[in-house]
Amino acid sequence: MYERGDSAVRSRPQPCDDIPDLASGLVELARKVHDQAVVLASAMDTAGPAVLPAPVPHLTRLDTPQEIDDAIRGALGSVGQEVLTAQPGGPRPRHVLAGALESVRRQLCSGIAMRTLYQHSARFDEATKEYVRTVTGYGAEVRTLPEFFERVIIVDRSVAFVPGSSDRTRALRVTEPSLIGFLVDVFERAWDRAEDFPFVPTRSADAAPEVIPSLHESIKKLLVAGYSDRAIARRMGISERSLQTHVGRIKEQYGAENRLQLGFLLGRAEGWGLSEG
C-alpha cells in the first residue's frame, strides 16, 4: 500500500521542547481510525450496504488496492506545496521505488517539497540507497528512525492516508483538520529525532555501527516488554532471522544463556519494568 508516496515534502520542522514517543502517537491514531473501519466493515458484513451507518465526515474508507492507489494518485496529482511520508517496514521493493521515481522527479522539479521517514533497516538496502541518492539530488529530504511507526502520507496538510486495518490491506482517507494537525505534529517531532539517510559508506558492514546501537536499544526495550519475535521484527522492519542474530549479540553482551535470563538481566541493568522497594 502507498507505493506511490515513497518521498515526502519539505517544510521547516517546528521546534519542540518535549518530543513524545513517535510510535505511541501514530499507533494511537491508527487504532482510532482502525476502530472506525471495523465498525463500517462489521455493518457491511452483517447488514449489507443498505443498512450502513451514516458516513463519517472527513473520513473515507478505501477497501481495495485500486481504490487506495486511485485516491493517492488523485491527491498527489493535485499537490501544490508538500508531501510528508512515513514508510515503516524496512527497505522498499526495487520495483516500487523505480515506479515512483519519475513522478517524484516531476513533483520535485516543479517545486514541491518532500520529506520521507524510513526505519534504520532501510539503510542496508542497495536499491533504497540508490533511490534516496537520486531523489535527494532533486531536492527531497530523507531521514531514518530505529523504531516502529505507522504508515502515513500527508499531502499539503489537507489530506492524509493511514492504514484502515492491521494488515494494511485497507486505508482511510482523512481530511478532518484536527486529525491532520495531529499527524503533522507527530511527523514533525519524529523528523526532529530522526537521522539523515547516509549515502557513504556504501557497504552495509561499514554503515552498521551508525545504526546498530539504536536498533539494539529498541530491541532490548521490546524484549523486556514481552513482545514476541514476530512483533519485534515487524516493529523494527527486519526479518525474524535478523532479529535472532541481534538478540544473540545482545545475549553475548549481557552474558545471558537464554532469553529468560536476558530479560531479567536487561530489567536489572536498565531499570525497565522493575518496581522499587
Side-chain angles (χ1 to χ4, degrees), residues 14 28 33 47 49 60 120 128 132-133 135 137 139-141 159 163 167 177 200 205 226 237 245-246 276:
Q14 299 298 316
E28 175 62 16
V33 295
T60 304
H120 278 345
T128 304
V132 171
R133 186 181 296 110
V135 297
E141 293 181 90
V159 59
D167 60 4
V200 291
T245 298
H246 288 300
E276 296 182 357

Side-chain angles (χ1 to χ4, degrees), residues 23-59:
S24 63
L26 282 177
V27 168
E28 175 62 16
L29 178 65
R31 183 191 64 78
K32 291 179 180 178
V33 295
H34 175 247
D35 288 347
Q36 180 61 45
V38 169
V39 169
L40 293 173
S42 177
M44 178 173 287
D45 292 340
T46 59
V51 198
L52 282 174
V56 180
H58 309 297
L59 194 62

